[in-house]
Amino acid sequence: MTQLSDGIRLAVGTLTTVPVPAPRVIDRRVAGVAMTLGPLAALPLAAAAGLIVAGGVAIGLPALAVAALALGAVALGSRGLHLDGLADTADGLGASYDRAKALDVMRRGDSGPTGVATLLFVLLVQTGALTGAITHGHGIAAAVLSVLCGRCVLSLCCARGVPSARPEGLGATVAGSVPVVVAAAVFVLAAGCAALTPGLPWWRGVLAVALGYAAAAVLLARCVQRIGGVTGDVLGGCVEVAVAAALLATA
């Protein structure tokens, strides 16, 4: 019970701006619980995105503006953590084939041209895709589904067998902390729930989850090959590319 409560606190405190007490203990089991419960922790963000879409459509705002406001709210609600991770990951992968140099670039925290360009392109894809979903009348479903799908892939990225790129940091704490069977169960549950998404054909919801996972898996595999594993930045990057892919499937 203590691990569950600490895992919930760690997930909510890390992935959102919702104020919660600090976990009493942070170990690999607690980290595994936190990464597994990432979608539940992100429910307030998904709800906020859905409400903004609903409100924007109701008052007649342009679909592009509504999409930007919804995605902006999600970014603010997560402190821009995942967007920062995406930019840092892109900079690291684009900086050098030398593992140590790539990790050093990612550690600096400032964004170079590769990171800025990647961030811009991914945000354009997300905004454009959500705009399309809003135009076709299922923007609320697309916004909620994509936010939750993006957090579901955290269990994939932290599954047993995925190493940490560094001996310290968030990546070292969560890497390999989720049993493979649990990560697989999260995927199956996410696909099953997505099939029941109101306003979408069942297959489109499943496709959104599948494409979100596929995009995250490609980036994850590249990072394991190039820098030796995951870091906190890599996790953030996987979240954002999964959101973009899921939105494309619903556009």
Side-chain angles (χ1 to χ4, degrees):
M1 200 63 183
T2 300
Q3 289 178 356
L4 177 60
S5 61
D6 282 343
I8 293 173
R9 292 177 181 181
L10 180 60
V12 174
T14 302
L15 301 176
T16 76
T17 57
V18 177
V20 292
R24 286 158 291 188
V25 176
I26 299 180
D27 56 22
R28 290 186 63 77
R29 289 186 177 181
V30 171
V33 172
M35 295 299 98
T36 301
L37 298 181
L40 294 181
L43 279 174
L45 302 180
L51 288 172
I52 289 172
V53 171
V57 170
I59 64 176
L61 289 178
L64 178 60
V66 175
L69 288 171
L71 292 170
V74 173
L76 289 175
S78 57
R79 305 184 189 87
L81 182 69
H82 308 309
L83 293 172
D84 178 69
L86 174 65
D88 288 344
T89 300
D91 278 331
L93 293 177
S96 173
Y97 281 99
D98 181 81
R99 175 176 176 271
K101 289 182 179 179
L103 286 171
D104 181 61
V105 168
M106 294 170 66
R107 186 183 288 111
R108 293 175 191 172
D110 54 342
S111 295
T114 304
V116 171
T118 300
L119 196 59
L120 177 62
F121 291 144
V122 171
L123 285 173
L124 282 173
V125 170
Q126 290 181 357
T127 307
L130 183 53
T131 299
I134 293 170
T135 302
H136 287 86
H138 52 264
I140 298 174
V144 172
L145 177 58
S146 63
V147 170
L148 296 181
C149 177
R151 279 66 185 174
C152 284
V153 303
L154 288 171
S155 57
L156 167 70
C157 298
C158 299
R160 297 271 168 84
V162 179
S164 172
R166 299 191 186 103
E168 77 287 334
L170 176 62
T173 302
V174 302
S177 63
V178 180
V180 173
V181 66
V182 173
V186 171
F187 170 73
V188 172
L189 183 61
C193 291
L196 303 176
T197 303
L200 289 177
W202 71 267
W203 61 267
R204 190 177 290 273
V206 174
L207 179 63
V209 172
L211 287 182
Y213 265 78
V218 169
L219 178 57
L220 176 65
R222 183 61 172 164
C223 290
V224 170
Q225 177 190 34
R226 282 286 309 280
I227 62 175
V230 298
T231 67
D233 288 330
V234 172
L235 296 180
C238 287
V239 167
E240 292 298 337
V241 298
V243 170
L247 282 171
L248 280 174
T250 62

